[in-house]
Amino acid sequence: MSARTTLLRHARLVATMDDARREIADGAVLIRGNAIEAVGATADLPATADETIDLAGHVVLPGLVNTHHHLFQTLTRALPAAQDASLFGWLQALYPVWSRLAPEMLHVSAQTGLAELMLSGCTTSSDHLYLYPNVVTAVKIDGAGVKAWLEKSAGWFNRIDAKKSEPQDLINRKFPTYNFDVIQGELTYLIDVTQPFGSRISALRYQGKLVTDTQPFIVVTNNYRANGGGGFPGLDGKNIVFSAPDTNRDVLIAYVKSLGEITRDKFGRDHNWRFAKVQTAGPVVFTTAAGQDSMAPDSTRKLRDNGDGTAQYALDLSR
């Protein structure tokens, strides 16, 4: 039994989007089953099909492709607390809601969002729910590899010219935040933001002793990073020594449950890295959420509230 055919005829214009970018006046499209079999002028295609649709006055074009979507957010568009909010206020209102989304909710939101996309002419979409499973993975590297890993992470910070008197932004906004890694476990180090990229990590110590280039380490991370995600030097999947079926998220959840309570006093002050002390002629500034002054260290001072849920602070690198 042959597949059912559908013929779209007499379209005012068929925009093919092919390599030649043909635009066919009085165009037609013949569809067999779920595949396009022919495109051309109405006079050049068959005159009949199982179903014929007259598209006089209409323009036919391929389905649009959406390369960035968050289908799960379809369910939370009308949340009152997030209406007319700044970006940070919007995120603060919605993150707790999103954290409670269940599989059925994701299914319904995907169906709703895809239906809306089809009504707008979009037939293909890439959805950003979360791309990586992030299972626990361990790699074997040496001291030089640990330092190179941290040097790559330090790219989150701009290079600061200590002699400049005008304000300088601390954060490199072109650097993906998910590439800022901190390696913990009796490891301590300094980041000198006045130095060139690749030469910023100093005083790298393990258990209080300086790390040597050949010193062996097993570093626990996730499969994304271990297999080369982010382009970190020495991480290409060839030095993996352990891969667990457990996701990092599930391991962390189990750990938090075992403790029963997480407090800032107990866990939030054990900083294993810091900025190298340096005196700058002008302020080093960064922007973050407003209203969190009580959590700021003594080395920072607020310069202004931006009125959009964020505030600008100055960091004294000499302290």
Side-chain angles (χ1 to χ4, degrees):
M1 182 176 178
S2 60
R4 181 179 174 82
T5 57
T6 302
L7 180 64
L8 312 179
R9 307 181 70 226
H10 295 302
R12 179 174 182 177
L13 189 76
V14 174
T16 65
M17 300 297 179
D18 60 10
D19 292 340
R21 293 295 190 267
R22 291 180 301 150
E23 296 183 353
I24 304 170
D26 191 20
V29 178
L30 177 62
I31 303 166
R32 186 177 301 277
N34 60 0
I36 295 175
E37 184 172 287
V39 177
T42 296
D44 296 334
L45 266 63
T48 61
D50 294 324
E51 181 181 10
T52 301
I53 302 175
D54 191 313
L55 291 181
H58 292 75
V59 173
V60 177
L61 68 159
L64 302 176
V65 177
N66 179 13
T67 61
H68 186 123
H69 206 86
H70 301 278
L71 291 171
F72 70 93
Q73 295 179 6
T74 304
L75 298 183
T76 58
R77 289 177 179 163
L79 193 70
Q83 301 303 301
D84 301 319
S86 64
L87 173 60
F88 283 100
W90 182 76
L91 291 173
Q92 288 172 340
L94 289 173
Y95 271 142
V97 179
W98 292 338
S99 69
R100 298 192 296 271
L101 291 178
E104 184 179 357
M105 300 175 188
L106 297 177
H107 179 70
V108 171
S109 65
Q111 288 182 315
T112 304
L114 291 173
E116 292 176 341
L117 288 171
M118 291 179 68
L119 288 172
S120 70
C122 178
T123 57
T124 303
S125 181
S126 173
D127 185 49
H128 291 240
L129 178 59
Y130 198 67
L131 301 179
Y132 305 102
N134 281 355
V135 295
V136 176
T137 307
V139 296
K140 184 177 182 179
I141 58 177
D142 55 21
V146 171
K147 184 175 184 297
W149 192 330
L150 296 173
E151 290 285 4
K152 170 78 173 182
S153 296
W156 191 33
F157 304 111
N158 288 316
R159 187 179 182 184
I160 301 300
D161 186 342
K163 298 180 181 179
K164 281 189 176 181
S165 57
E166 60 267 26
Q168 299 179 75
D169 286 322
L170 175 65
I171 303 300
N172 176 7
R173 298 188 181 278
K174 295 182 179 180
F175 187 90
T177 55
Y178 53 80
N179 279 342
F180 180 66
D181 290 355
V182 175
I183 302 179
Q184 294 179 303
E186 300 187 83
L187 193 76
T188 60
Y189 54 97
L190 300 176
I191 299 178
D192 189 343
V193 292
T194 66
Q195 296 301 310
F197 296 104
S199 302
R200 302 172 132 193
I201 303 300
S202 63
L204 179 59
R205 298 175 182 271
Y206 176 66
Q207 295 182 335
K209 297 180 180 180
L210 288 173
V211 171
T212 65
D213 286 347
T214 58
Q215 189 172 348
F217 288 92
I218 302 294
V219 180
V220 179
T221 178
N222 57 43
N223 61 309
Y224 170 73
R225 183 69 79 231
N227 283 285
F232 279 65
L235 299 179
D236 57 5
K238 296 179 181 179
N239 52 355
I240 294 174
V241 294
F242 175 75
S243 294
D246 310 279
T247 65
N248 295 61
R249 177 179 58 189
D250 289 338
V251 171
L252 181 60
I253 290 172
Y255 175 67
V256 172
K257 285 183 176 179
S258 70
L259 294 176
E261 183 181 26
I262 299 291
T263 64
R264 183 169 181 246
D265 287 338
K266 186 175 181 180
F267 294 96
R269 301 184 184 277
D270 184 21
H271 304 302
N272 69 313
W273 72 272
R274 60 165 296 157
F275 291 114
K277 291 184 178 181
V278 60
Q279 187 74 47
T280 59
V284 177
V285 300
F286 64 95
T287 299
T288 187
Q292 305 298 323
D293 299 21
S294 61
M295 300 180 64
D298 294 337
S299 57
T300 63
R301 59 186 176 88
K302 186 166 73 173
L303 299 179
R304 67 170 183 268
D305 191 310
N306 296 324
D308 60 355
T310 68
Q312 187 180 70
Y313 290 81
L315 174 65
D316 185 352
L317 291 173
S318 68
R319 300 182 64 177

